[in-house]
Amino acid sequence: MLFDKREQLDLFGNQPEKRYNSLDELRNIALDCSRCGLRDNCTQVVFGAGDKDADLMFVGEGPGKDEDRQGTPFVGRAGKLLDKILSAAEIDKSEVYISNIVKCRPPGNRKPSTQEMKTCLWILAQEIKIIDPKIIVPLGSTALKGLLDPGGKITHVRGNWVEREGRYFLPTFHPAALLRDERKKAPVWKDFLTIKKAYNKYLKLKAEGKEV
């Protein structure tokens, strides 16, 4: 298994060793991080971006070439496609938060190793605790493994809701997968319509002061 039970619980808010009080504080720590070898081969650490009070959060795998150069997640081809999907689904990008499992670009855009993921996930865990989103969308296999199921297969679980520690997850394919295989566009569009419906429902209940 990628993570043992204790490590999975730590990700979702149960007695962390240290709790950061703001994203700015966490960002400063993260940008200075060199706990794994990825930092030696990338331009910079790419911290998450978006609404600090977002109720909807997207999590990808890691920075690519464009993200590594600009220091912002999802600004390359996959990021531009994600922007188009959000716009088409009428989800305001300014209201969401976007991050990755690892914050440094793996050489050649390879998948991060198990150890690299385990070393870096503490940053994402703190992002989630600070932002406190109700809905989290793991984008792709690496995000699924890091957030929910170390042995999970994205082809088996995409489009299915998972509740964990009071948060709701709906895994779907990473936008980069759509660039390689157009057949994935239809199921991803279906997933985003599901996300939009659930997000709107939550915002309505929240505005009415009702617990979800």
Side-chain angles (χ1 to χ4, degrees):
M1 291 184 67
L2 185 57
F3 309 108
D4 61 28
K5 184 177 180 181
R6 179 185 59 80
E7 289 172 311
Q8 286 182 311
L9 287 174
D10 284 347
L11 182 60
F12 294 107
N14 295 314
Q15 299 179 355
E17 293 182 6
K18 174 176 174 55
R19 173 150 189 161
Y20 295 87
N21 296 315
S22 72
L23 282 180
D24 289 337
E25 180 187 7
L26 178 62
R27 181 185 292 107
N28 289 336
I29 298 296
L31 294 182
D32 195 43
C33 180
S34 58
R35 296 175 66 187
C36 78
L38 290 181
R39 185 66 186 91
D40 298 333
N41 298 294
C42 70
T43 302
Q44 58 189 314
V45 177
V46 181
F47 195 71
D51 188 348
K52 296 180 180 181
D53 298 308
D55 293 306
L56 175 59
M57 181 174 181
F58 293 86
V59 178
E61 177 175 298
K65 180 180 179 180
D66 294 305
E67 291 78 12
D68 183 48
R69 184 177 67 253
Q70 298 184 41
T72 304
F74 281 86
V75 293
R77 290 181 64 210
K80 288 179 172 59
L81 179 54
L82 177 61
D83 289 348
K84 290 180 179 179
I85 298 171
L86 289 171
S87 178
E90 298 183 338
I91 297 174
D92 189 341
K93 186 181 178 182
S94 69
E95 296 180 356
V96 308
Y97 188 87
I98 302 174
S99 193
N100 283 302
I101 293 293
V102 297
K103 311 304 188 193
C104 292
R105 182 193 182 200
N109 284 0
R110 65 163 171 77
K111 287 186 178 296
S113 70
T114 297
Q115 189 57 48
E116 289 162 350
M117 290 172 65
K118 291 174 74 172
T119 301
C120 201
L121 265 174
W122 72 271
I123 302 175
L124 179 61
Q126 293 295 330
E127 285 179 287
I128 292 172
K129 290 167 188 172
I130 293 168
I131 298 165
D132 196 24
K134 193 67 176 180
I135 300 171
I136 300 177
V137 181
L139 297 168
S141 177
T142 299
L144 169 68
K145 292 176 185 297
L147 283 166
L148 293 175
D149 184 355
K153 296 184 181 299
I154 191 67
T155 52
H156 294 170
V157 301
R158 62 135 292 271
N160 294 300
W161 287 106
V162 177
E163 190 274 332
R164 185 73 59 81
E165 298 289 338
R167 308 187 199 280
Y168 294 86
F169 297 76
L170 194 138
T172 192
F173 294 122
H174 194 287
L178 278 62
L179 296 173
R180 297 189 297 268
D181 184 359
E182 291 195 353
R183 293 173 298 179
K184 291 183 170 64
K185 288 184 176 180
V188 167
W189 178 241
K190 179 180 178 182
D191 293 343
F192 269 78
L193 292 180
T194 300
I195 292 163
K196 171 64 173 178
K197 183 178 180 180
Y199 179 50
N200 282 349
K201 182 178 180 181
Y202 173 71
L203 291 180
K204 182 175 183 294
L205 291 172
K206 183 180 179 181
E208 295 172 351
K210 299 178 181 178
E211 294 186 8
V212 180

